[in-house]
Amino acid sequence: MFAQKLLPALAVFSVAAAQTSTICSQPTVTVNSQADASQLSDCSTVSGSIVIGSTASGTIAIDGPQQVRGNLTSQSAGGLVSLTSSTITSIGGEFRLFNLTFLSTLQFDALTSAKTIYWEALPALPSLAFAGPLSKADSVTISNTFLTTLSGINLNTVGTLQIDNNNNLKQFDTQIANITNAVNINANGNQLAVTFPNLIWAANMTFRNVSSIKIPSLATVNGSMGFYGNYMDSIAAPNLTSVGSFATGVGSLAIVANAKLANISFPALKSVGGADQIANNTALHAIAFPALTSVAGAIDFSGNFTTPELPKLEDVKGGFNIQSQQAITCSGFEEQSGGKGSIIQGKFICKSATATTETLDGSASTTGGSSGSSATPKSDATNFGLSQAALGASFIGGLLQMIL
Ligand SMILES: *[C@@H]1O[C@H](CO)[C@@H](O)[C@H](O)[C@H]1NC(C)=O
Ligand SMILES: *[C@@H]1O[C@H](CO)[C@@H](O)[C@H](O)[C@H]1NC(C)=O
Ligand SMILES: *[C@@H]1O[C@H](CO)[C@@H](O)[C@H](O)[C@H]1NC(C)=O
Ligand SMILES: *[C@@H]1O[C@H](CO)[C@@H](O)[C@H](O)[C@H]1NC(C)=O
Ligand SMILES: *[C@@H]1O[C@H](CO)[C@@H](O)[C@H](O)[C@H]1NC(C)=O
Ligand SMILES: *[C@@H]1O[C@H](CO)[C@@H](O)[C@H](O)[C@H]1NC(C)=O
Ligand SMILES: *[C@@H]1O[C@H](CO)[C@@H](O)[C@H](O)[C@H]1NC(C)=O
Ligand SMILES: *[C@@H]1O[C@H](CO)[C@@H](O)[C@H](O)[C@H]1NC(C)=O
Ligand SMILES: *[C@@H]1O[C@H](CO)[C@@H](O)[C@H](O)[C@H]1NC(C)=O
Ligand SMILES: *[C@@H]1O[C@H](CO)[C@@H](O)[C@H](O)[C@H]1NC(C)=O
């Protein structure tokens, strides 16, 4: 009697267990409905991938599993409104959401890590509910969403960070200390404030169309750092000592076409591997790199600024091209130029509003260094192999408020 009751129960249990273990270990589980999702509720680990099918609609909650070893993806599920999980802590592969037109709730309260986050074309998603928060990912791409904030993503480590075309994004603040590959933030509408309070080390960094950027602790950029078309009035990198590698000549600093930029502050920057380029910042009237010692590429400044302050220059392997719409003092720099053995070893150009009347033909210029001692001030033109007669006024001496 007892045995008769027990047997069917056991049988039911083992069928369920078999089903559970099968679904938990399938290479791909396709979820088209909440009923499909609920079949995963007894899996603590999903060893394969979960695909939310394009016919899924309404609300899908994947509650139960803690780990997804493969991917979690959903693509072109036009009816999907809400995707949630209160239990998933890690996604071993890619968390990919693409072209989910009506997705307005994305809530993963336990998620702390994913190998890759790739979210693109989520036009109805206003915010994230990630209480975790998500703190670890090799690569994060968030593109073309309706998100106003990325709070819920607070990375400790990341390789690549790509945040673009999120027109409503107002704020991105992350505790991250090290960006091992690249950060690229661009075209996110014109009110995005980016804050990296703890960032110390980064490979490449590119910022476009950003309204403010805070990098108070940044000490090293191993690759290139570029600011293009931003809206901030100042850029300060108080702890930054190097951009790129002087030894390999790789990694440039570029500050280009930031229309409101009035103040740049790089008080500790000592070396730049590639070029140090500043151009088309119409409101920038002063340039100073008080600690800059070594530049393996070129120094290339153009715009409307007073004489740049470069008091510590010791070694510029590339050219030197400074062109200002204001009257600036070229003589001090000129004394430093003159090829091998000089501070400035490459081609030398210094153009000042009032000092030059010649039209410098870049193609006709020769590299510096061929023309004698750097101790004797020479006109700009001499360095370019132009004849002295071609010059209007030469601009030598007298103007030694130079910072040398
Ligand atoms: C996960 O996604 C990546 C990138 O899309 C793909 O290469 C990989 O095969 C997927 N893995 C699984 C288990 O589906
Ligand atoms: C996006 O999803 C819709 C269905 O919601 C589909 O009709 C459309 O073709 C998809 N677009 C792309 C680029 O995949
Ligand atoms: C950041 O990561 C890179 C690459 O793994 C490493 O070389 C570098 O030392 C790290 N920097 C810091 C400050 O942890
Ligand atoms: C970093 O920048 C350098 C020079 O600008 C470029 O050659 C390299 O491909 C970039 N790397 C990444 C990962 O973006
Ligand atoms: C700047 O660098 C110094 C010396 O490495 C360090 O003591 C200081 O904490 C850094 N400042 C910030 C804001 O990280
Ligand atoms: C974003 O910046 C780029 C320059 O990098 C510029 O061409 C573009 O017009 C800017 N977009 C907006 C919306 O300001
Ligand atoms: C740092 O940059 C150099 C090139 O200047 C490159 O060889 C090296 O791999 C980079 N290091 C890291 C950790 O990315
Ligand atoms: C430029 O910025 C630096 C650092 O943020 C600040 O100390 C300085 O006062 C600013 N200069 C001007 C002219 O705004
Ligand atoms: C500066 O602007 C001019 C005119 O728009 C353009 O020709 C030039 O390429 C720009 N320079 C840089 C470095 O972007
Ligand atoms: C350069 O800037 C000054 C203000 O510092 C301004 O008066 C002048 O018109 C500007 N020149 C050009 C050519 O933009």
Side-chain angles (χ1 to χ4, degrees), residues 177-178 180 200-201:
N178 196 338
T180 55
I200 295 169
W201 195 100

Side-chain angles (χ1 to χ4, degrees), residues 18 22 25 34 53 86 100 123 132 165 173 176 234 249 259 300 320 350 400:
T22 309
S25 57
Q34 183 55 47
S86 57
L100 302 173
N165 292 289
D173 187 341
I176 195 157
S234 71
D300 186 0
F320 185 92
C350 182
L400 287 172

Side-chain angles (χ1 to χ4, degrees), residues 374-385:
S374 65
T376 314
K378 303 171 298 275
S379 75
D380 302 350
T382 311
N383 279 288
F384 279 83

Side-chain angles (χ1 to χ4, degrees), residues 324-348:
S324 179
Q325 288 153 358
Q326 288 185 39
I328 58 167
T329 308
C330 291
S331 53
F333 298 124
E334 202 163 11
E335 286 170 19
Q336 298 180 328
S337 74
K340 272 212 163 53
S342 306
I343 291 174
I344 297 166
Q345 292 143 49
K347 184 165 94 179
F348 181 85

Side-chain angles (χ1 to χ4, degrees), residues 208-209 228-229 231:
R208 291 177 199 263
N209 315 108
Y228 306 90
Y231 316 117

